[in-house]
Amino acid sequence: MFSAEKSYFSIVLYSALLTAFSTLTPTAFAVVSKSQPSSAQQEESTLPETAAAEPEAKLPGTEQDAETTATVENLPLLNASIPPGQFQTLYWSPGQSFASIDTPVPVLVAHGKNPGPKVCLTAAIHGDELNGIEMVRRLMYQLEPVKMNGTVIGVPIVNLDGFRRASRYLSDRRDLNRYFPGSENGSAASRIAYSFFNKIIRGNCDFLVDLHTGSLKRTNLPQIRADLSNETVFEFSRHLGGITVLHGRGSEGTLRRAATDLGIPAITLESGGPNSLDESSVDGGVKALETLLQNLDIQPTVRFWGTPQPVFYHSEWVRSDQGGILMSDVELGDNVRAGDILGRVVDPVSNTGSDIVSPLSGKIIGMAFNQVVQTGFAAYHIGEAKTPEEAKEEAQEELKEENQESGPTESPPDDPESTPTPEDTEARVKKTGDSISDSESATENAE
């Protein structure tokens, strides 16, 4: 038999072990606390309504019902059903090739164990844009679904056809990012866009980030393209931390524009140039995406990017006035003043040349690599800094002016070369039964 002293000692030891165990298992302890409110919580619930704080505005999909936080259903996607807390690789097939040689496109899915919003990441809609592919890979494989709130769906290579050929376009020379939301009876590009939009985007994304680079021998400072006249999109664009934001509704047919028109807050993240992997651009993009997931309470990050930078609302492409070889005097990210020389174009035979002069003060947010250029070539993209409030106000004023006119007009294009023509949009496809020529589709587009 135990003595009284030994019994007392055993009780004290057992109590100490229980205390240590509850300290080491905060999750279990929190569950118990949630079912039994503390006295402080009970007192708070009895306060008059006038003393309660105003609820903070939340983005769609971020609110969680306290009664349903323990219930997460399987995610139905692409003929699969993904249980909570699992990471799976699914496959999407556009179905536009020979069935015997068709190669499906991988779709990475991290379905969190806890409720939360669904974020979609798409890359390589243009097959020669590699930085976004690497961003999706790095981000997706650091996710921990068993600890996550919500779901992240990543498609590293949307345009697998173009990727195989290191080409921006599909095999029919069409720009896939001019055909969304697509048509099931249109061209191959239109049908691919329709399949992707309806099988993956529609109904599966609360938010969308479409990853791109500069086009055709141009490079971009990491930047966001967003419709700042849309209140929800404006708030969403501020969730990626210290990164430049440009206002733009997006050209007709872009995935971003189609998603926003459907009510999905969507932005484009541009970083770097085509046909190469730029470590600095990739790292900056991943950091912005990590910050986004933390701000949406999906998964915390140790690289939180909390200090906002100025929002660039007004931007202008500066063009060459003669053909020749471009030699730049500035670098991406440089601050310039109106009248500064950005570079020079030289005729290598006559030894004549002309300077390219900045028409405004701002930052170089995009530029062409040194190369042979023609007259009128868009060489430098300069952004003029605005505060977020100024950018939002000007964007909304622009939209108001458009609505007062006889018909809506397109916002300034992201394309440095030409404004997309109506013939190169899905509207033309529906009207003409898909009569788009190769020359109409083979235009240079930044997004």
Side-chain angles (χ1 to χ4, degrees):
M1 295 181 62
F2 291 123
S3 66
E5 292 181 355
K6 289 183 178 181
S7 298
Y8 176 78
F9 176 78
S10 299
I11 293 172
V12 172
L13 179 60
Y14 182 69
S15 300
L17 288 173
L18 282 178
T19 303
F21 180 75
S22 64
T23 304
L24 293 173
T25 55
T27 302
F29 186 72
V31 171
V32 174
S33 298
K34 191 175 295 183
S35 61
Q36 297 292 335
S38 65
S39 57
Q41 290 174 321
Q42 293 174 347
E43 290 177 6
E44 184 180 12
S45 64
T46 61
L47 290 175
E49 293 184 2
T50 54
E54 288 283 338
E56 295 184 2
K58 293 183 180 294
L59 288 169
T62 60
E63 295 186 21
Q64 297 183 19
D65 189 332
E67 296 182 358
T68 60
T69 52
T71 303
V72 178
E73 298 180 351
N74 287 8
L75 176 70
L77 181 66
L78 297 172
N79 299 320
S81 182
I82 306 174
Q86 286 197 14
F87 184 105
Q88 289 190 18
T89 300
L90 306 181
Y91 295 92
W92 161 70
S93 176
Q96 301 304 314
S97 182
F98 294 106
S100 58
I101 61 173
D102 183 41
T103 303
V105 173
V107 178
L108 308 178
V109 183
H111 185 35
K113 191 172 183 179
N114 306 309
K118 293 181 288 187
V119 175
C120 291
L121 309 174
T122 55
I125 284 182
H126 297 129
D128 61 350
E129 298 180 352
L130 307 183
N131 287 338
I133 300 174
E134 178 63 6
M135 290 180 202
V136 173
R137 182 192 71 82
R138 291 189 187 183
L139 185 76
M140 293 301 299
Y141 283 101
Q142 66 173 270
L143 298 178
E144 300 180 79
V146 293
K147 301 178 181 178
M148 280 174 47
N149 305 315
T151 302
V152 181
I153 301 172
V155 189
I157 310 172
V158 176
N159 182 0
L160 190 58
D161 179 14
F163 173 75
R164 286 170 165 170
R165 295 176 290 106
S167 170
R168 178 180 181 84
Y169 305 106
L170 296 167
S171 56
D172 63 357
R173 298 183 64 202
R174 285 181 167 87
D175 185 339
L176 179 58
N177 208 32
R178 288 297 177 271
Y179 288 86
F180 291 100
S183 168
E184 56 183 340
N185 298 314
S187 65
S190 183
R191 296 181 187 214
I192 291 171
Y194 181 86
S195 173
F196 184 79
F197 194 79
N198 286 279
K199 290 184 178 180
I200 297 178
I201 304 300
R202 187 188 297 270
N204 296 310
C205 306
D206 294 322
F207 304 97
L208 171 66
V209 182
D210 189 24
L211 305 172
H212 285 267
T213 74
S215 63
L216 303 174
K217 298 182 180 180
R218 294 182 179 87
T219 183
N220 286 324
L221 195 71
Q223 59 195 252
I224 292 170
R225 309 278 176 84
D227 181 2
L228 302 183
S229 66
N230 184 308
E231 182 71 31
T232 307
V233 175
F234 173 77
E235 291 300 328
F236 180 42
S237 71
R238 304 187 70 178
H239 277 56
L240 284 86
I243 186 170
T244 298
V245 180
L246 288 177
H247 167 62
R249 294 178 62 194
S251 301
E252 287 283 357
T254 59
L255 177 59
R256 169 166 71 95
R257 178 71 173 267
T260 301
D261 289 346
L262 187 64
I264 301 171
I267 60 176
T268 296
L269 174 56
E270 296 261 356
S271 189
N275 294 117
S276 65
L277 275 173
D278 178 63
E279 176 60 32
S280 176
S281 296
V282 171
D283 185 67
V286 173
K287 186 176 181 181
L289 294 174
E290 290 173 343
T291 303
L292 171 66
L293 296 189
Q294 169 147 323
N295 281 329
L296 292 178
D297 196 30
I298 293 177
Q299 177 168 296
T301 176
V302 296
R303 299 202 311 162
F304 183 72
W305 198 346
T307 305
Q309 291 183 356
V311 172
F312 292 93
Y313 169 72
H314 175 74
S315 67
E316 184 174 332
W317 277 95
V318 185
R319 300 175 181 273
S320 168
D321 289 330
Q322 79 165 68
I325 297 177
L326 171 67
M327 292 179 286
S328 293
D329 291 337
V330 295
E331 295 181 354
L332 198 65
D334 282 355
N335 292 309
V336 297
R337 295 182 179 181
D340 285 355
I341 295 176
L342 306 177
R344 185 173 177 82
V345 178
V346 179
D347 185 323
V349 177
S350 65
N351 197 33
T352 59
S354 62
D355 293 331
I356 301 179
V357 179
S358 175
L360 72 162
S361 298
K363 177 177 284 190
I364 303 296
I365 59 175
M367 61 182 291
F369 299 118
N370 288 342
Q371 59 188 283
V372 177
V373 302
Q374 303 297 322
T375 303
F377 182 81
Y380 303 97
H381 197 190
I382 301 177
E384 184 180 16
K386 301 281 185 179
T387 66
E389 291 72 22
E390 289 174 333
K392 179 181 176 182
E393 182 179 348
E394 292 187 22
Q396 292 177 340
E397 185 63 30
E398 176 188 283
L399 181 62
K400 185 184 299 183
E401 292 176 358
E402 289 180 5
N403 293 335
Q404 290 175 348
E405 297 177 358
S406 57
T409 58
E410 278 295 309
S411 60
D414 298 312
D415 181 350
E417 290 301 312
S418 62
T419 304
T421 63
E423 290 80 1
D424 198 23
T425 65
E426 190 54 42
R428 166 71 183 274
V429 173
K430 293 178 179 178
K431 290 180 181 179
T432 64
D434 191 32
S435 60
I436 298 176
S437 67
D438 289 340
S439 61
E440 289 172 332
S441 65
T443 57
E444 296 181 33
N445 301 293
E447 179 181 340

